[in-house]
């Protein structure tokens, strides 16, 4: 994809090299999730929203058969380069029928804004008795960042044009959706997790907030990003010289029962 051409999309784009440089912490911080998943070597496991496959590889290294899906072609190329069997697939349209012993999903579900479709697809993809272990942005996630982004757009009278790209549910909301589909919720917790960023805050905006940036004319974008950085600096710039994003994780584990009730 030509990175200078924005005409074909106002959507967030995923480039494997930019992700590796600015977002490696996403898979690096996923160890508790792998512990909760506890993969075994006789299992077939789907990594939903596998990105560049770094986490999928950890599941495979634990001995399981791990397969990844992601909506980004560029990320799937990167994951195949790691040797991960993977396919381009939107999480809203999972095309599997009782294939997997487990699904792992990290930092992906909050990009899927029709959650019931995703939950339906996960249910169908799991064998009866299978489990889904996931982590996503939960209620209150990046609240300070979102506020600064919205205010900067308001100052330009652009705020009404934003289609909010994220879904950050509360525990009660997500539990209700899973249970309505028939899942047994084994674990659910909302975990504030301030997250150190590897570089400048503007790089986080470039990597994760393109849907907001695209609303601003290109020649004004540097100033727009600096304005947002300045707004969040008092809260998110650590005195040791590091940016720390106000992440809140919703972590859960749920089982598709052996028999439908
Ligand atoms: C998150 O992992 O919580 C997240 C990252 C980028 C944008 C929105 C949320």
């Amino acid at each position: 994809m030509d990175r200078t051409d924005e005409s074909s999309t106002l959507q967030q784009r995923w480039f494997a090299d930019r992700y590796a440089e600015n977002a490696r912490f996403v898979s690096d911080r996923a160890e508790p999730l792998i512990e909760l998943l506890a993969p075994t070597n006789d299992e077939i496991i789907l990594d939903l929203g596998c990105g560049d496959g770094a986490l999928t590889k950890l599941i495979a290294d634990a001995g399981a058969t791990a397969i990844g899906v992601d909506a980004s072609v560029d990320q799937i190329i990167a994951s195949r380069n790691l040797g991960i069997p993977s396919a381009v697939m939107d999480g809203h349209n999972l095309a599997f029928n009782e294939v997997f012993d487990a699904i792992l999903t990290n930092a992906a579900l909050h990009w899927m804004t029709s959650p019931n479709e995703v939950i339906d697809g996960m249910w169908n993809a799991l064998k009866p008795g299978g489990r889904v272990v996931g982590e996503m942005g939960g209620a209150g996630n990046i609240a300070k960042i979102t506020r600064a982004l919205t205010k900067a757009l308001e100052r330009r009278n652009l705020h009404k044009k934003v289609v909010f790209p994220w879904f950050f549910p509360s525990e009660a909301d997500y539990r209700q959706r899973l249970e309505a589909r028939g899942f047994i919720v084994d674990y659910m917790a909302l975990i504030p997790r301030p997250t150190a960023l590897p570089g400048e805050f503007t790089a986080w905006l470039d990597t994760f907030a393109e849907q907001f940036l695209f609303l601003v004319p290109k020649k004004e974008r540097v100033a727009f990003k600096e304005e947002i950085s300045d707004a969040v600096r008092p809260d998110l710039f650590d005195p040791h010289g590091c940016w720390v994003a106000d992440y809140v994780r919703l972590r859960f584990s749920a089982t598709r029962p052996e028999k439908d009730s």
Side-chain angles (χ1 to χ4, degrees):
M1 190 190 292
D2 173 4
R3 293 180 198 208
T4 59
D5 177 17
E6 296 170 6
S7 56
S8 60
T9 178
L10 285 178
Q11 303 283 315
Q12 175 68 43
R13 302 165 309 167
W14 299 104
F15 299 113
D17 56 351
R18 184 172 74 179
Y19 193 84
E21 188 179 343
N22 298 321
R24 178 55 54 226
F25 65 89
V26 175
S27 50
D28 285 350
R29 300 281 310 249
E31 209 171 294
L33 205 57
I34 299 278
E35 273 173 33
L36 192 58
L37 176 69
T40 59
N41 55 16
D42 55 343
E43 290 188 310
I44 306 176
I45 298 181
L46 175 68
D47 184 353
L48 168 55
C50 65
D52 61 11
L55 203 54
T56 333
K57 186 165 183 321
L58 287 185
I59 304 168
D61 290 347
T65 300
I67 292 165
V69 293
D70 199 281
S72 156
V73 175
D74 210 51
Q75 294 280 60
I76 287 298
I77 291 169
S79 99
R80 287 187 182 172
N81 286 341
L82 276 184
I84 305 294
S86 43
V88 177
M89 198 180 288
D90 182 338
H92 293 98
N93 296 302
L94 291 177
F96 300 106
N97 189 19
E98 301 191 354
V99 175
F100 297 102
D101 298 293
I103 297 173
L104 180 91
T105 178
N106 180 43
L109 293 182
H110 53 247
W111 292 98
M112 301 175 200
T113 51
S114 298
N116 293 351
E117 289 172 23
V118 181
I119 289 171
D120 264 352
M122 295 194 298
W123 174 277
N124 292 333
L126 286 171
K127 298 174 188 167
R131 65 200 185 283
V132 51
V133 173
E135 191 170 293
M136 65 196 292
N141 192 44
I142 58 166
K144 294 191 169 100
I145 297 174
T146 307
R147 201 169 311 123
L149 272 166
T150 307
K151 283 203 168 145
L153 288 176
E154 272 169 12
R155 282 192 280 275
R156 292 163 175 79
N157 206 21
L158 291 170
H159 55 292
K160 292 204 179 113
K161 296 199 169 168
V162 178
V163 179
F164 195 75
W166 303 307
F167 165 63
F168 298 140
S170 66
E171 289 169 87
D173 177 335
Y174 209 66
R175 172 184 287 276
Q176 189 277 330
R177 290 175 193 274
L178 288 167
E179 289 179 346
R181 186 60 189 85
F183 280 101
I184 307 291
V185 175
D186 304 305
Y187 173 84
M188 174 85 66
L190 194 66
I191 305 166
R193 198 200 67 193
T195 297
L197 303 179
E200 288 301 319
F201 184 70
T202 49
W204 186 95
L205 291 171
D206 285 329
T207 310
F208 293 116
E210 280 194 322
Q211 212 152 317
F212 296 82
L213 302 184
F214 284 155
L215 295 173
V216 177
K218 262 187 189 167
K219 59 181 181 350
E220 293 171 32
R221 247 179 242 165
V222 170
F224 179 71
K225 288 187 280 184
E226 287 303 331
E227 190 178 315
I228 298 159
S229 293
D230 288 346
V232 295
R233 190 182 302 275
D235 290 317
L236 303 185
F237 193 69
D238 172 278
H240 301 106
C242 168
W243 286 95
V244 179
D246 53 340
Y247 280 17
V248 178
R249 307 287 86 188
L250 183 66
R251 190 180 297 161
F252 66 92
S253 171
T255 302
R256 173 178 168 168
E258 290 287 351
K259 284 196 172 58
D260 294 358
S261 52

